[in-house]
């Protein structure tokens, strides 16, 4: 498969050193209650739902030779409920559409003990709305492989087993999936929640020879949703773009948080921290492919 070349640079350390804006950390108890939001950008599916064929077994709903030419309407503070990601938009185009709400310097580098690494940004959009973004690089792979890992329920369990109780995924059409998430009870300021359930819809599109966009949204009509869940509305665009031998991953998610889970206190508004936690939630993909690359090199040497 011929890989497309794009001059796209994301999150260099020099770039991040210029950043000086971000909200102060909230108390530990509030941080703990927000951990379920790590999953808002992780829409996993079972590996056995993939059809046979090319593209690492991944199916897609629609295909275009090139990214859409029409520009996205920019996201505006106070108007998050009207924003539309569209389809077939390039990562650059989506990034540009967010630029009126936050500076590119707002992205922060994240590196954790479990191997997650990349850049994230959280932006309050007014009221209960939050924008959560992340950027990372998966080494020595193609977008179809990243998407397959992204849709593998075993990875969800591996990276978030302390928070995820169950995942049930069904394929509803070509490149279309439903994902039913069940989260373990979480601590909140007033005590502890019950088990939280919600269903997400996933639509996968392919662009050119190898790039993909995955659009994820909360299925607000699902009868399995519990009233107590991290967010009332969720819409996320994940772009997977081949750059040389690597895949650049950019996720942008807009959510209306549930104030019973994400409080707005006099001292601080926890919605900003919720966005930060969510932005970090998908950064396991870079580590996943780093580990895979290391195993391949080891086996080659042996």
């Amino acid at each position: 498969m011929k890989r497309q070349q794009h001059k796209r640079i994301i999150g260099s350390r020099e770039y991040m050193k210029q950043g000086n804006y971000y909200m102060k950390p909230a108390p530990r108890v509030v941080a703990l209650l927000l951990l379920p939001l790590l999953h808002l950008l992780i829409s996993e599916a079972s590996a056995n739902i993939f059809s046979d064929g090319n593209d690492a077994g991944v199916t897609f709903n629609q295909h275009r030779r090139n990214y859409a030419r029409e520009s996205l309407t920019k996201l505006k503070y106070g108007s998050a409920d009207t924003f539309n990601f569209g389809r077939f938009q390039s990562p650059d185009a989506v990034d540009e559409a967010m630029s009126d709400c936050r500076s590119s310097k707002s992205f922060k580098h994240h590196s954790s003990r479990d191997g997650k690494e990349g850049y994230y940004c959280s932006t309050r959009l007014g009221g209960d709305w939050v924008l959560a973004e992340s950027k990372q690089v998966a080494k020595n792979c193609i977008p179809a492989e990243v998407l397959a890992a992204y849709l593998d329920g075993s990875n969800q369990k591996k990276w978030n087993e302390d928070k995820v109780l169950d995942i049930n995924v069904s394929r509803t059409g070509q490149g279309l999936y439903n994902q039913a998430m069940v989260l373990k009870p979480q601590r909140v300021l007033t005590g502890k929640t019950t088990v939280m359930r919600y269903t997400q819809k996933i639509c996968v599109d392919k662009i050119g020879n190898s790039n993909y966009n995955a659009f994820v949204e909360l299925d607000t009509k699902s009868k399995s949703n519990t009233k107590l869940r991290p967010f009332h509305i969720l819409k996320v665009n994940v772009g997977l773009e081949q750059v040389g031998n690597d895949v650049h991953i950019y996720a942008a998610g807009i959510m209306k948080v549930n104030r019973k889970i994400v409080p707005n206190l006099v001292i601080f508004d926890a919605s900003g921290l919720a966005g930060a936690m969510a932005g970090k939630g998908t950064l396991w993909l870079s580590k996943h492919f780093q580990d895979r690359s290391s195993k391949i090199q080891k086996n080659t040497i042996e």
Side-chain angles (χ1 to χ4, degrees), residues 138-184:
K139 298 287 188 179
N140 300 315
C141 58
I142 60 175
E145 293 172 324
V146 176
L147 185 57
Y150 182 80
L151 294 173
D152 187 347
S154 65
N155 290 325
Q156 174 80 313
K157 290 285 187 180
K158 175 182 177 180
W159 291 94
N160 303 285
E161 63 181 353
D162 60 328
K163 296 294 177 266
V164 177
L165 185 63
D166 191 24
I167 305 172
N168 184 17
V169 179
S170 59
R171 179 178 162 190
T172 59
Q174 189 75 3
L176 300 174
Y177 305 93
N178 274 357
Q179 175 205 8
M181 288 286 296
V182 183
L183 301 183
K184 296 179 181 180

Side-chain angles (χ1 to χ4, degrees), residues 29-253:
V29 65
V30 178
L32 288 174
L33 72 88
L34 297 175
L35 285 174
L37 294 174
L38 287 171
H39 313 297
L40 81 88
L41 299 180
I42 308 176
S43 296
E44 313 296 350
S46 288
N48 60 5
I49 64 176
F50 299 135
S51 65
D52 296 331
N54 299 321
D55 295 330
V58 172
T59 66
F60 52 87
N61 183 253
Q62 292 188 30
H63 174 260
R64 281 184 56 160
R65 289 185 178 181
N66 301 296
Y67 286 116
R69 294 182 178 180
E70 60 272 16
S71 299
L72 280 175
T73 300
K74 287 193 173 184
L75 177 65
K76 301 291 185 182
Y77 183 90
S79 301
D81 58 329
T82 62
F83 181 78
N84 189 336
F85 281 104
R87 297 183 77 166
F88 305 105
Q89 293 290 333
S90 70
D92 283 331
V94 176
D95 195 352
E96 175 63 22
M98 308 294 117
S99 62
D100 277 5
C101 294
R102 51 89 179 130
S103 166
S104 58
K105 297 178 181 179
S106 298
F107 280 86
K108 299 290 183 180
H109 180 258
H110 173 74
S111 181
S112 60
R113 292 181 180 180
D114 61 1
K116 294 188 182 78
E117 184 172 6
Y119 297 84
Y120 71 96
C121 179
S122 174
T123 307
R124 293 191 292 272
L125 299 174
D128 299 334
W129 291 89
V130 181
L131 167 65
E133 299 171 272
S134 67
K135 296 180 179 181
Q136 61 186 306
V137 177
K139 298 287 188 179
N140 300 315
C141 58
I142 60 175
E145 293 172 324
V146 176
L147 185 57
Y150 182 80
L151 294 173
D152 187 347
S154 65
N155 290 325
Q156 174 80 313
K157 290 285 187 180
K158 175 182 177 180
W159 291 94
N160 303 285
E161 63 181 353
D162 60 328
K163 296 294 177 266
V164 177
L165 185 63
D166 191 24
I167 305 172
N168 184 17
V169 179
S170 59
R171 179 178 162 190
T172 59
Q174 189 75 3
L176 300 174
Y177 305 93
N178 274 357
Q179 175 205 8
M181 288 286 296
V182 183
L183 301 183
K184 296 179 181 180
Q186 304 298 318
R187 291 188 180 278
V188 296
L189 294 181
T190 57
K192 198 172 185 179
T193 71
T194 59
V195 170
M196 293 183 285
R197 303 172 185 270
Y198 57 92
T199 299
Q200 296 177 151
K201 298 185 292 185
I202 309 166
C203 178
V204 177
D205 288 331
K206 185 175 182 180
I207 303 95
N209 292 330
S210 61
N211 297 333
Y212 288 90
N213 279 352
F215 181 71
V216 184
E217 63 180 332
L218 179 69
D219 184 358
T220 57
K221 297 181 179 180
S222 174
K223 295 181 179 179
S224 65
N225 292 345
T226 57
K227 292 183 178 180
L228 196 61
R229 58 181 186 269
F231 34 75
H232 295 299
I233 298 174
L234 167 70
K235 42 189 177 182
V236 184
N237 188 83
V238 182
L240 306 174
E241 186 175 41
Q242 191 78 56
V243 181
N245 293 327
D246 307 326
V247 177
H248 285 199
I249 307 164
Y250 170 45

